[in-house]
Amino acid sequence: MKVVLVLYDAGKHAADEERLYGCTENALGIKDWLESAGHTLVVTSDKDGEDSELEKEIPDADIIITTPFHPGYISKERIQKGKKLKLLVVAGVGSDHIDLDYINESGRDISVLEVTGSNVVSVAEHVIMTMLVLVRNFVPAHEQVMAGGWEVAAVAKDAFDIEGKTIATIGAGRIGYRVLERLVAFNPKELLYYDYQALPAEAEAKVNARRVEDIKELVAQADIVTVNCPLHAGSKGLVNADLLKHFKKGAWLVNTARGAICNAADVAAAVESGQLRGYGGDVWFPQPAPADHPWRTMRNKYGAGNAMTPHYSGTVIDAQIRYAQGTKNILESFFTQKFDYRPQDIILLNGKYKTKAYGADKKV
Ligand code: NAI
């Protein structure tokens, strides 16, 4: 079978760390395994546009493996071109770069699987870090000392504690719940969540979180809001100028879920106007982010309030080890025709939605 693998190029960094599996050079560690079983593996980072290698390989591909970090966008047109496609694997979590609705509606016998849970701790830790970086105003303080300066007041005037704050998550699934668990230690005033599905009573009690059923009411009460839901038709552009008006003035917003859940221009305007004190996260749309993306340069009135990074929270080395192994397990199950996938990894099975996170609940 022909397997196409879309990953980022690591260049010299690939040799620095052999467990950097998620790059073209290290190919998820599955190159020899696949080739010794007689399969053909094409590994590329060239993914965008009609002349890209991904586009050229699609007509012959049986399997395409992508990641959310350097997403090979699998559009309706590409699925139509890929007449042999049987399996799409996401090495990581989040399949929004694939036109899932089209596969579901088209009747094509294509399965989509991700490695559910593989990087949820990695992301939850990044969320906590980003909250701290923003609320404690770390970036300007660090830049100050690196530049040889010493002006405590300049950074202290925009720095606070997390303790005593009301913190809300939009989405309380694997990542959102882990964020709540970790926040308990900070002694917040209150933890809130908004999700289509209520947490089990025991889980809610463990973190002492309160569910708020109206998203506007949720954000109106929170000093810090974090986005931890998948990107789908019901969450695209969810955080826009209209919702931002309902935020507490000067709240912080952290989004490591997907860039397109937030309206980029509206968020940048809110940071510049002071409606948000700061915004941070690692997800953008599109990826790689263009050089003129407003989130690269937006600042609050103190020249601070920006904690953006490239998309790497879910691709730290510990996560790469887990999603590389998870991808291999999925392929093994497919090649041996056992199809004994982990149920939580299945997004679409033979063309039909199996998960509530994307299609099944998007109209709720
Ligand atoms: P999950 O499926 O365990 O939880 C998602 C939760 O969001 C579910 O409880 C679902 O009911 C809820 N939800 C769905 N739509 C919603 C909406 N419009 N409003 C509020 N809640 C909604 O997923 P998990 O593992 O927690 O991951 C969440 C998302 O985080 C992924 O879909 C992915 O987009 C992103 N992610 C980002 C990574 C990164 O490296 N930055 C890595 C891994 C995931």
Side-chain angles (χ1 to χ4, degrees):
M1 289 203 184
K2 184 166 201 175
V3 183
V4 178
L5 179 50
V6 184
L7 297 168
Y8 49 77
D9 295 322
K12 72 181 180 68
H13 309 293
D16 285 347
E17 172 55 72
E18 62 182 17
R19 295 168 301 170
L20 193 74
Y21 292 117
C23 60
T24 51
E25 293 83 352
N26 295 337
L28 296 180
I30 56 174
K31 189 170 192 301
D32 294 345
W33 173 71
L34 277 176
E35 290 178 348
S36 64
H39 302 294
T40 305
L41 179 65
V42 176
V43 189
T44 183
S45 63
D46 184 17
K47 65 186 183 69
D48 295 323
E50 292 196 358
D51 296 328
S52 64
E53 199 174 345
L54 171 60
E55 188 89 20
K56 288 181 194 148
E57 295 293 347
I58 279 179
D60 288 335
D62 299 283
I63 299 172
I64 301 180
I65 305 170
T66 53
T67 75
F69 313 105
H70 184 71
Y73 295 104
I74 310 295
S75 60
K76 172 180 170 180
E77 292 71 28
R78 285 180 164 176
I79 295 160
Q80 287 171 341
K81 270 192 183 177
K83 301 229 179 317
K84 295 170 72 181
L85 283 177
K86 291 285 288 174
L87 178 66
L88 302 176
V89 184
V90 176
V93 175
S95 301
D96 47 276
H97 57 286
I98 299 171
D99 193 337
L100 300 171
D101 285 347
Y102 173 69
I103 298 175
N104 188 52
E105 284 152 19
S106 68
R108 290 282 304 277
D109 183 8
I110 299 174
S111 295
V112 180
L113 286 99
E114 14 179 274
V115 189
T116 297
S118 56
N119 50 18
V120 294
V121 166
S122 318
V123 180
E125 290 188 3
H126 197 97
V127 172
I128 302 294
M129 176 189 78
T130 308
M131 285 181 186
L132 285 165
V133 159
L134 282 175
V135 174
R136 306 198 61 80
N137 202 24
F138 177 83
V139 175
H142 179 66
E143 284 172 349
Q144 191 189 97
V145 294
M146 295 290 281
W150 187 273
E151 198 185 1
V152 173
V155 288
K157 68 181 180 186
D158 196 25
F160 300 82
D161 292 332
I162 284 188
E163 181 170 275
K165 302 294 183 291
T166 296
I167 308 171
T169 176
I170 298 173
R174 290 175 182 82
I175 296 172
Y177 189 72
R178 280 166 177 76
V179 169
L180 294 174
E181 281 183 317
R182 283 155 179 76
L183 284 170
V184 170
F186 286 90
N187 218 2
K189 181 175 177 199
E190 199 176 13
L191 295 178
L192 308 174
Y193 74 98
Y194 167 84
D195 197 303
Y196 300 156
Q197 310 167 60
L199 286 166
E202 248 173 62
E204 212 173 72
K206 188 179 161 214
V207 295
N208 197 18
R210 178 165 63 87
R211 185 180 183 203
V212 179
E213 293 192 38
D214 181 325
I215 193 167
K216 290 180 176 158
E217 281 176 25
L218 178 98
V219 299
Q221 298 171 62
D223 301 295
I224 308 169
V225 177
T226 165
V227 183
N228 297 294
C229 65
L231 172 62
H232 53 70
S235 62
K236 191 171 176 190
L238 181 68
V239 184
N240 55 21
D242 182 45
L243 187 66
L244 284 161
K245 277 198 298 229
H246 295 270
F247 276 59
K248 262 185 162 178
K249 189 164 172 61
W252 294 273
L253 177 57
V254 174
N255 173 19
T256 54
R258 283 295 176 263
I261 296 172
C262 295
N263 179 298
D266 293 355
V267 163
V271 171
E272 305 273 345
S273 75
Q275 178 58 14
L276 289 178
R277 193 177 273 273
Y279 179 92
D282 67 330
V283 286
W284 310 67
F285 183 78
Q287 287 185 187
D292 62 351
H293 195 292
W295 292 355
R296 289 182 185 270
T297 49
M298 63 189 175
R299 296 268 194 280
N300 67 18
K301 66 176 176 184
Y302 301 121
N306 185 324
M308 290 306 297
T309 68
H311 190 170
Y312 83 108
S313 68
T315 188
V316 297
I317 298 299
D318 293 304
Q320 299 203 20
I321 293 168
R322 291 187 292 260
Y323 69 64
Q325 183 59 50
T327 300
K328 194 175 175 193
N329 294 346
I330 291 168
L331 293 174
E332 204 150 31
S333 175
F334 179 80
F335 289 138
T336 56
Q337 300 204 357
K338 288 188 186 153
F339 308 114
D340 53 348
Y341 305 124
R342 298 191 312 161
Q344 66 268 36
D345 287 354
I346 304 171
I347 307 303
L348 286 156
L349 188 64
N350 309 117
K352 290 292 158 220
Y353 274 122
K354 288 286 167 197
T355 173
K356 287 183 84 179
Y358 292 92
D361 67 349
K362 73 172 193 278
K363 293 190 184 73
V364 174

